[in-house]
Amino acid sequence: MSVNQQAHTGPPYGQPQPGYQGYQQPAYGGQSLPGVPQLQYGAYNGPMPGYQQPVPPQGYFPSLGFPSKGSPVSLNSDTSSLAPNFIGSLRAPPTSGAPPPASGASHPSGHLAYSQFEHGDVQNGIPASATPMQRPPASQPFLPGSAPTPVSQTSAFQQYGPPPASVQQLSNHMAGMTIGSATASAPPPAGLGYGPPTSVPPVSGSFSATGSGLYTPYSASQGPPPTSVSQGLPLAQPPFPGQTVSTQRLPTQVPGFAPPPPSTGVGPSSYPPTTGAPRPPAMPGPPLPGQTLAGPPSSQPNHVSSPPPPSAMSGLHPGPPMSGLQGPPPPTHPPQPGYQMQQNGSFGQVRGPQPNYGGAYPGTPNYGSPPGPPPPPKRLDPDSIPSPIQVIEDDRSNRGSEPFVTGVRGQVPPLVTTNFLVKDQGNASPRYIRCTSYNIPCTSDMAKQSQVPLAAVIKPLAALPPEETLPYLVDHGESGPVRCNRCKAYMCPFMQFIEGGRRFQCCFCSCVTEVPPHYFQHLDHTGKRVDFYDRPELSLGSYEFLATVDYCKNNKFPSPPAFIFMIDVSYNAVKSGLVRLICEELKTLLDYLPRCEDKYVSYREGNMEESAIRVGFVTYNKVLHFYNVKSSLAQPQMMVVSDVADMFVPLLDGFLVNVNESRTVITSLLDQIPEMFADTRETETVFAPVIQAGLEALKAAECAGKLFIFHTSLPIAEAPGKLKNRDDRKLINTDKEKTLFQPQTSFYNNLAKDCVAQGCCVDLFLFPNQYLDVATLGVVPYQTGGSIYKYAYFQLETDQDRFLNDLRRDVQKEVGFDAVMRVRTSTGIRATDFFGAFYMSNTTDVEMAGLDCDKTITVEFKHDDKLSEDSGALLQCALLYTSCAGQRRLRIHNLSLNCCTQLADLYRNCETDTLINYLAKYAYRGVLSSPVKTVRDALINQCAQILACYRKNCASPSSAGQLILPECMKLLPVYLNCVLKSDVLQPGPEVTTDDRAYIRQLVTSMDVAETNVFFYPRLLPLTKADVDSDSLPAAIRNSEERLSKGDIYLLENGLNIFVWVGVSVQQSLIQNLFGVSSFGQISNTLSALPVLENPFSKKVRSIVDMLQGQRSRYMKLIIVKQEDKLEMLFKHFLVEDKSLSGGASYVDFLCHMHKEIRQLLS
């Protein structure tokens, strides 16, 4: 638009005339105020006084917002031709005289859809007149000191910069104003841009300079470009003619961004400092009544307006760093009622078009008057920003009914939250592999430009639902699996057979290999082998090969693995009842060791009724006790090793035994252990020698296996691996904070290496009453592919169920031993980085002493060459492992992905849940070597770059005031904020160092479904549950404002289940669920819901059981009564709200991301 506007002569209709300051205007939305005469027309919140509405230049189409020779894009066109990202208001610049017909908009385009909130609701423009419009009181929250004064500027406004004193400054004020948006799906034509590079410094310390200069200046036909955008744009201004305003409903319940009050200190764990004075953002108001906005209908808006990027204010020194996102005090007035959602997903109050008003009334120019007072800061309506619940529900309804057939390359699977069936037709099921994108850039430059990480989250031994077929087992006899001669890739559906089937060309390295004679088969007329459907490795994405002796250690077939139970019998463990509990449970649990009759369709390892796994027992405090439980003994024998500095196993025969053969001796031992140590006074424990003992026992028996260690305290007894208490909360938010996550000695790293070499996996059950140094004790479980379980302040009555359920599942689940995994890729990309619980002795092989069905390995890929769109990209994950029966196997998963030369294709095929899984793991590894603040900044920066690249290259040209998100990444900001607010990256005062180390290790091997519910918990209104159906009640968003005090809610995050009871819940519901007669009688120490014979109790218990069954760990049940002390813990998981530890609310973070994106684009 032209910057050289003509002066116009008067305030618009519906605004107070100078000199009539006391006259009240009609209230918002045209409703009359009591005692005020009804005007004939509703208020027209029109253009700025003193500015004529320009006639559009030739070839300028209001709906497009930029010069164009063609006709404007039809806004009613079929949604397929619209950009998938654009939902929401289109604004046309006003024209004088009769409005031209605007396609798709029901309001005359001669009228701008101005904000209903007048001065200051628009991001930019020029200062307002000296006579601000009076507003009805029942509107917005305000900051003290920002009340309107009729003429003079308020002191509170001084920090936002003086009014422009010249035409030069005027054009500066207009720089960066929003531009009309169009829904063309093409990138903006060259020469169109959003202004020259600015001198705005980046917000985050770790931003690269690549963001500047992304946009080219306006072309000459559009008027002179603004000279500099580094001068501030006062925010308290009405719309400028021709400038578009994005609309949102702005309720007032929760404060949004605002400058920190003078008394507020700079918080340590908040957003990076901003140069320039802090100021409240301008948020536009709702659209005009009755106005229907074009754009594709969608259940969720994808763009949201938010404040402009901060810039150094004209005439001001840079202000203090803006830290944290403090909001104004809560409003004293209720929000205006009567907002409703519009059809296309824009939210706002609907008002009718205003007929017959082409322009403003004539009057006098008023350039020089100072701007009005600043507006009260307003906040986005949470309902108008992308909702995780809505996205999850939409995916369920769209993709939950059909099976997901894997025959097509590069298909994006349904979300992890959707229940769907998989049919393997050549690509691995998403239960085994999920990717951050299913269409990857052809070049490394394109990948760098987008900043979207290319990664796969692989769960090689994932459990499948009963309706799906387990991978077939293929036995090629002594010759073993057929492989490529050069790259050693395994035969798979993508190999190309040539020369009548006598040779095959490798799909990974293009090398041609002879087909072994026993494997030869003729080809049909399409070039496929005629036995294509008879061979799993030619027709399926996932399958297993039986490995030959060449794949075994020392060229010798392995023995079946062993389980060794190692029980801490120090004072704490005995006194808490833990030792007795473990011994009682093991008596029955040993009947449920993993069976070796595998459920494979084409092969069964004998019809073995019992497990081939042998078991052994050790107890320990400062010394170790080994037990001989040989079947020929009448009573178990105990042998004590007190020389813990040089650990050895005092017996071989009789230590590892078959459960059935030695049952009576084992039962006798488990009865005697609690009695033997009942009167112990020994409080000190060792730890490393316990692992060494198990390792030595497995070495002596020449087998792999698993150690189950039950441990209670920091190992301070004199022994190898002795630790000291180094817990120091003063290190939080300092450069030394990373030491809290690092092991305090390298001893355990070396021990882990030895364990991996033997195939000795360690599962650790911790029962701490104080600091235990999980960061160090967890090293061996972590690097051997094991698990850690932690039960702080263990109490028999409350924690017994959780511990026993975890132990049962841990002992019974499918596990592979002595595992090595390698990921091969087709030419052009290669695996460069790995995350998870494993050990690596070289750059390609992931080694795990044990790998169970819950563990994932996340692999990042980088380009080393160009890819082609025709051939796509291929991954093959090969896992070599020993089954529970001692059989050596290879499990193969194959996946084909598309490749693209257009960024739009990349953004259309991303998977946000997988992206967040990768980013969380990347960040959680980062805290080991970098300050937490650096890690947080890098995360924000990377996501801002991902979204800025989309905005620049894929989105339709639209106003810079709109945040436009890719359809499949619209939840990236909310999920990213959850990662940033997590206990590892932003701990509250109640989070212990051990908790943070524990969570860090836990998340590193989580799959996508687990990280999804861990970072954005599931919140269900139990009182809305239908007691007659099997379905769950519809989830609601994680925010306190969604809770009603008359309801009961359940929140689960994969580790805990909270049942929140409102203070006004009906007494009958309380009686039915808790068996007590009033709210006050509910006990918050319950660890399980009472079993009561009524439909509501049965329904809630069935929901809890169903959720427990979906998670890999048994979740702790916590009853939370509203206004109780436990409620603070519960609120910590309402992740859309501001957190006590300083984390931003979703709304605030979205605004922050928008600011970061705009800064990168300017």
Side-chain angles (χ1 to χ4, degrees), residues 286-354:
L288 296 169
Q291 160 193 341
T292 59
L293 301 172
S298 158
S299 55
Q300 268 305 310
N302 259 19
H303 60 287
V304 179
S305 296
S306 84
S311 34
M313 301 293 159
S314 49
L316 276 186
H317 296 295
M322 176 171 173
S323 168
L325 305 166
Q326 291 92 358
T332 48
H333 302 298
Q336 280 291 108
Y339 292 111
Q340 63 200 66
M341 177 179 170
Q342 285 174 226
Q343 283 307 304
N344 69 334
S346 290
F347 288 74
Q349 188 175 358
V350 182
R351 304 200 307 185
Q354 328 228 314

Side-chain angles (χ1 to χ4, degrees), residues 460-484:
L461 297 179
L464 300 183
E467 313 84 72
E468 291 179 22
T469 313
L470 286 155
Y472 287 85
L473 185 68
V474 179
D475 185 357
H476 282 316
E478 288 186 12
S479 58
V482 179
R483 303 177 70 175
C484 166

Side-chain angles (χ1 to χ4, degrees), residues 334-562:
Q336 280 291 108
Y339 292 111
Q340 63 200 66
M341 177 179 170
Q342 285 174 226
Q343 283 307 304
N344 69 334
S346 290
F347 288 74
Q349 188 175 358
V350 182
R351 304 200 307 185
Q354 328 228 314
N356 308 327
Y357 288 96
Y361 272 7
T364 53
N366 60 353
Y367 278 118
S369 54
K378 292 188 292 286
R379 111 185 235 264
L380 290 172
D381 172 18
D383 282 331
S384 67
I385 56 184
S387 154
I389 303 304
Q390 189 65 55
V391 171
I392 288 168
E393 283 307 317
D394 289 350
D395 193 75
R396 275 189 189 140
S397 54
N398 295 337
R399 306 196 64 182
S401 50
E402 293 295 309
F404 178 69
V405 181
T406 70
V408 183
R409 180 175 85 188
Q411 279 185 107
V412 182
L415 298 181
V416 284
T417 42
T418 299
N419 258 334
F420 61 99
L421 210 63
V422 180
K423 287 194 174 162
D424 185 341
Q425 291 191 358
N427 282 293
S429 160
R431 302 191 205 288
Y432 295 124
I433 306 184
R434 275 186 178 265
C435 293
T436 52
S437 177
Y438 288 81
N439 201 331
I440 61 181
C442 281
T443 64
S444 60
D445 289 348
M446 195 171 153
K448 282 194 192 95
Q449 186 184 359
S450 75
Q451 286 286 314
V452 176
L454 306 175
V457 179
I458 306 175
K459 196 175 181 182
L461 297 179
L464 300 183
E467 313 84 72
E468 291 179 22
T469 313
L470 286 155
Y472 287 85
L473 185 68
V474 179
D475 185 357
H476 282 316
E478 288 186 12
S479 58
V482 179
R483 303 177 70 175
C484 166
N485 271 347
R486 185 198 291 163
C487 70
K488 301 297 183 208
Y490 294 88
M491 180 54 66
C492 72
F494 313 120
M495 297 290 190
Q496 191 68 44
F497 286 89
I498 53 175
E499 295 178 25
R502 284 187 294 282
R503 293 171 159 212
F504 68 91
Q505 183 168 27
C506 177
C507 50
F508 294 95
C509 70
S510 304
C511 171
V512 173
T513 302
E514 293 282 336
V515 173
H518 73 88
Y519 197 68
F520 173 78
Q521 187 53 268
H522 295 285
L523 308 183
D524 65 12
H525 65 286
T526 64
K528 265 187 189 168
R529 284 172 55 123
V530 295
D531 62 353
F532 175 80
Y533 290 108
D534 303 332
R535 290 196 176 272
E537 73 274 22
L538 298 181
S539 53
L540 298 177
S542 301
Y543 42 87
E544 292 204 317
F545 290 120
L546 205 52
T548 59
V549 74
D550 307 338
Y551 292 87
C552 302
K553 218 181 264 179
N554 308 325
N555 278 357
K556 195 171 129 195
F557 281 115
S559 310

Side-chain angles (χ1 to χ4, degrees), residues 196-266:
T198 70
S199 56
V200 179
V203 172
S204 153
S206 58
F207 268 71
S208 62
T210 53
S212 58
L214 291 178
Y215 277 147
T216 49
Y218 282 108
S219 57
S221 65
Q222 291 171 281
T227 9
S228 153
V229 221
S230 61
Q231 286 172 302
L233 311 173
L235 292 178
Q237 299 144 3
F240 198 82
Q243 171 189 341
T244 64
V245 184
S246 309
T247 65
Q248 296 296 342
R249 165 188 160 194
L250 306 164
T252 55
Q253 294 91 324
V254 183
F257 272 169
S263 61
T264 309
V266 174

Side-chain angles (χ1 to χ4, degrees), residues 657-670:
V657 297
N658 175 294
V659 174
N660 282 349
E661 288 172 12
S662 298
R663 180 171 301 281
T664 51
V665 194
I666 291 173
T667 305
S668 170
L669 170 67
L670 294 172

Side-chain angles (χ1 to χ4, degrees), residues 622 644-645 684-690 692 711 713-726 743-748 751 772-773 776-777:
K622 263 182 16 182
V644 289
E684 292 188 356
T685 57
V686 295
F687 184 68
V690 182
Q692 287 172 324
H711 189 79
S713 58
L714 190 70
I716 54 172
E718 227 20 86
K722 172 187 173 180
L723 301 178
K724 59 181 193 289
N725 187 336
R726 53 161 188 165
Q744 56 173 286
T745 158
S746 63
F747 181 87
Y748 288 96
L751 183 54
L772 195 74
D773 203 346
T776 306
L777 298 189

Side-chain angles (χ1 to χ4, degrees), residues 566-584:
M566 316 185 90
I567 306 167
D568 174 347
V569 288
S570 62
Y571 177 75
N572 276 345
V574 174
K575 180 169 148 277
S576 65
L578 180 63
V579 173
R580 188 174 295 279
L581 181 68
I582 293 168
C583 292
E584 283 303 314

Side-chain angles (χ1 to χ4, degrees), residues 85-136:
N85 45 49
F86 185 86
I87 308 170
S89 36
L90 280 140
R91 298 284 178 271
T95 52
S96 56
S103 60
S106 70
H107 63 283
S109 70
H111 296 280
L112 267 181
Y114 277 117
S115 160
Q116 67 170 6
F117 310 114
E118 297 243 331
H119 302 300
D121 294 317
V122 185
Q123 282 88 333
N124 33 44
I126 60 159
S129 78
T131 54
M133 170 177 172
Q134 302 294 310
R135 299 193 191 191

